[in-house]
Amino acid sequence: MTKQENSTLKNTLSFVKEDGSIKDAYDQTMGVGQVLVALSAYHNGKYANNGVYQFK
């Protein structure tokens, strides 16, 4: 098995440009929101074993 060279986190952050805008986003507000949800899901899945949303 070979080591994975890229991670979900690296891929997600590759869409964020130096000025904080999202590359190729139709709408920056939606683009930033999607990146934040993806980062939250990554963090919760990796460190808290939870999803982004919790339904009760």
Side-chain angles (χ1 to χ4, degrees), residues 10-52:
K10 268 185 165 179
N11 272 341
T12 301
L13 293 176
S14 73
F15 285 94
V16 181
K17 298 192 299 188
E18 235 178 80
D19 65 358
S21 63
I22 307 302
K23 178 172 61 173
D24 298 330
Y26 174 76
D27 178 84
Q28 287 300 310
T29 303
M30 289 177 63
V32 169
Q34 289 176 338
V35 167
L36 291 176
V37 168
L39 293 175
S40 177
Y42 176 82
H43 179 271
N44 286 342
K46 184 164 185 146
Y47 299 107
N49 294 323
N50 294 326
V52 177

